[in-house]
Amino acid sequence: MSAAVPAPDATDAAATERGTAPLLPVILGADIGVYALARSFHEAYGVRSIVVSGAALGPVARSQIIDNVLLGPDATPEHMVDRLVELAAEHPGRRLVLLANSDWLVRVVVRHRARLEPHYIVPFLSGDLLDRISDKATFAEICADLGIDVPRTIVQDFAGAGEAGWQPVAVDLDYPLIAKAASSADYQDVHFDGKKKVFEIASPAELDALWVSLAAAGFRGRFVVQDLVPGDDTHMRSITAYVDSRGAITLLCSAHVLIEEHTPSGLGNPAAMITQRIDPMLEQARTFLTATGYIGFANFDVKVDPRDGTYRFFEVNPRIGRNNYYLTAAGANPMRFLVGDRVDGLAVEPVVVDRQVLYSILPHRLLLRYVLDPALNARVRALVKAGDVVHPLRYRGDRSLRRRAYVAAALVNQVRKFRTYYPRPTSTGF
């Protein structure tokens, strides 16, 4: 692993040692992943982050390590970019690093790179590559060409859905199957009853009804229909990587997912996982990143197919991911790799994380109810007993009474959500 990070200091004393201007992270969004990024910056460099969002939601509200800049609920992407330029002018002499942690916000930043880069370090991939890899249909094609396993995929294009005589293509997969938007950015502002992030479709009639709803709602992007890979949430895996400005993969970390969120809007987001080095899977991620010329953070969703043991790659997110704090918890703070590369101009020593730690946003008793495999359940209990467990919102450097009350309420709320949307584990995770 590369050199140790200097101890945190509120004035970013590390900047003095580096001979650079003080660091100022600016992060777009307001969810738990945004807070985790601010926490990682604070742990590594002692700096407060500016969080720019429509509203100061619970994870970033009343934080002692965050300064919230509120745009209001009606702000457009153009308003956001205008405010970011204003913010840069308000902080002369600072090294501004701009991060976003949702697909649509990444797309806003990349599309407005020309306006933002004179003021900010913008550590994202090119617009052309973003369009290619963010589309799940194109992603599947790239993986197939590289010999990376993916579920069998059929693409449904809604570009002509508003024209008379349009008909969806036939789907010859076995049921149940999975359906989801090829591009989450295209799906962001589409609204209809029963909208979900991912659909488990039980029959042809159910699939036809989904096509009707999408067409009527004005969706004109692409949907992918995929073979449902069997196995519950514990068959899922997560990979996070950082590719530096030279094209070198300097950070790789994988994790064994234990349980995912099951609310309609959060379906598929890991709620608990154990970091675990899985070299065969990491090598496939390395192949993808190298072949595509990827730059910046990437987060892969993968599932182990119990039928043959293969790693089925579902998608790559062009960002660090909502649950990024599992890297910091395992000893590889990803902000060190970013700052070393983009701020300090260093070739950071590559790291493949091999320390095991339990990352969880759930109460332990709730988590253990959903981990049915005895050996895996025992691993969870052992990590809890050893204290190798972390919740991203529980931070000693940000422990006001209001923050502690919010974290406690969030844990209770997880119990309510699982009772409502996933009262007992199933063989498929749906």
Side-chain angles (χ1 to χ4, degrees):
M1 189 172 286
S2 52
V5 174
D9 181 271
T11 60
D12 190 13
T16 303
E17 292 183 23
R18 299 191 304 261
T20 61
L23 179 69
L24 180 57
V26 179
I27 311 170
L28 307 181
D31 67 10
I32 193 170
V34 169
Y35 181 85
L37 291 174
R39 175 177 175 178
S40 292
F41 271 118
H42 192 262
E43 287 187 29
Y45 302 105
V47 296
R48 296 167 65 93
S49 295
I50 293 177
V51 168
V52 180
S53 60
L57 304 182
V60 300
R62 305 185 184 94
S63 170
Q64 298 173 337
I65 65 171
I66 287 172
D67 295 313
N68 285 292
V69 172
L70 304 183
L71 301 173
D74 299 323
T76 65
E78 289 71 25
H79 291 147
M80 178 182 293
V81 174
D82 289 343
R83 186 67 183 101
L84 287 172
V85 173
E86 291 172 0
L87 274 176
E90 293 167 10
H91 294 88
R94 303 294 294 271
R95 289 288 279 169
L96 304 175
V97 179
L98 182 61
L99 287 177
N101 206 22
S102 65
D103 291 351
W104 78 273
L105 287 171
V106 170
R107 191 171 295 275
V108 169
V109 171
V110 171
R111 285 180 173 171
H112 293 85
R113 188 192 296 271
R115 285 195 65 198
L116 295 169
E117 275 194 327
H119 313 285
Y120 293 88
I121 294 169
V122 181
F124 294 106
L125 67 176
S126 69
D128 289 344
L129 184 56
L130 174 64
D131 288 341
R132 289 179 62 212
I133 63 94
S134 294
D135 187 293
K136 295 176 181 63
T138 306
F139 172 77
E141 293 168 0
I142 295 171
C143 286
D145 289 343
L146 295 172
I148 298 171
D149 292 310
V150 294
R152 187 179 168 216
T153 302
I154 295 174
V155 180
Q156 191 67 260
D157 192 341
F158 283 79
E163 300 173 6
W166 177 84
Q167 292 292 328
V169 300
V171 172
D172 61 353
L173 299 177
D174 293 333
Y175 290 84
L177 51 76
I178 299 299
K180 52 191 173 183
S183 169
S184 59
D186 291 342
Y187 193 52
Q188 175 80 18
D189 297 321
V190 176
H191 303 287
F192 58 93
D193 289 342
K195 178 182 176 180
K196 297 179 182 179
K197 182 179 177 182
V198 180
F199 294 86
E200 182 191 22
I201 305 297
S203 67
E206 195 172 318
L207 185 61
D208 289 342
L210 175 61
W211 296 158
V212 170
S213 295
L214 287 164
F219 179 72
R220 295 299 179 263
R222 299 198 296 175
F223 243 66
V224 295
V225 182
Q226 294 182 322
D227 174 39
L228 190 156
V229 179
D232 65 8
D233 290 355
T234 62
H235 287 76
M236 293 299 300
R237 303 291 184 268
S238 177
I239 301 173
T240 302
Y242 181 72
V243 186
D244 73 10
S245 54
R246 301 165 180 83
I249 301 171
T250 55
L251 176 61
L252 278 173
C253 182
S254 52
H256 183 154
V257 176
L258 303 172
I259 182 71
E260 296 181 332
E261 295 186 45
H262 284 265
T263 59
S265 61
L267 190 65
N269 291 322
M273 48 190 165
I274 298 173
T275 53
Q276 177 184 356
R277 180 169 175 169
I278 310 170
D279 285 326
M281 185 177 71
L282 291 174
E283 284 307 308
Q284 293 187 71
R286 189 186 296 276
T287 295
F288 179 93
L289 296 168
T290 302
T292 57
Y294 199 99
I295 295 292
F297 286 110
N299 176 239
F300 294 87
D301 293 335
V302 187
K303 190 170 187 178
V304 180
D305 192 330
R307 296 169 294 192
D308 56 13
T310 57
Y311 296 102
R312 304 283 181 183
F313 278 64
F314 286 176
E315 64 180 325
V316 60
N317 299 300
R319 49 190 170 81
I320 194 171
R322 188 172 188 266
N323 299 285
N324 60 82
Y325 194 76
Y326 74 86
L327 289 97
T328 301
N333 188 323
M335 300 306 100
R336 292 195 304 105
F337 295 83
L338 171 62
V339 172
D341 171 34
R342 292 301 187 104
V343 177
D344 298 337
L346 302 175
V348 179
E349 180 183 351
V351 170
V352 180
V353 176
D354 54 16
R355 180 189 169 197
Q356 289 198 13
V357 65
L358 171 62
Y359 167 99
S360 176
I361 61 172
L362 306 181
H364 300 326
R365 290 179 64 183
L366 177 64
L367 170 59
L368 289 166
R369 281 184 51 202
Y370 287 87
V371 182
L372 302 182
D373 177 79
L376 192 55
N377 191 289
R379 280 179 64 196
V380 173
R381 292 178 184 274
L383 288 167
V384 171
K385 184 176 181 180
D388 292 328
V389 57
V390 64
H391 188 302
L393 297 179
R394 282 179 165 165
Y395 180 32
R396 291 182 179 179
D398 194 13
R399 286 174 57 85
S400 69
L401 182 60
R402 283 178 146 181
R403 288 291 302 179
R404 293 200 298 270
Y406 170 74
V407 174
L411 288 168
V412 172
N413 193 40
Q414 290 291 351
V415 176
R416 180 190 62 79
K417 289 193 291 187
F418 273 84
R419 283 178 177 169
T420 302
Y421 295 104
Y422 194 55
R424 61 188 61 85
T426 68
S427 61
T428 63
F430 286 92

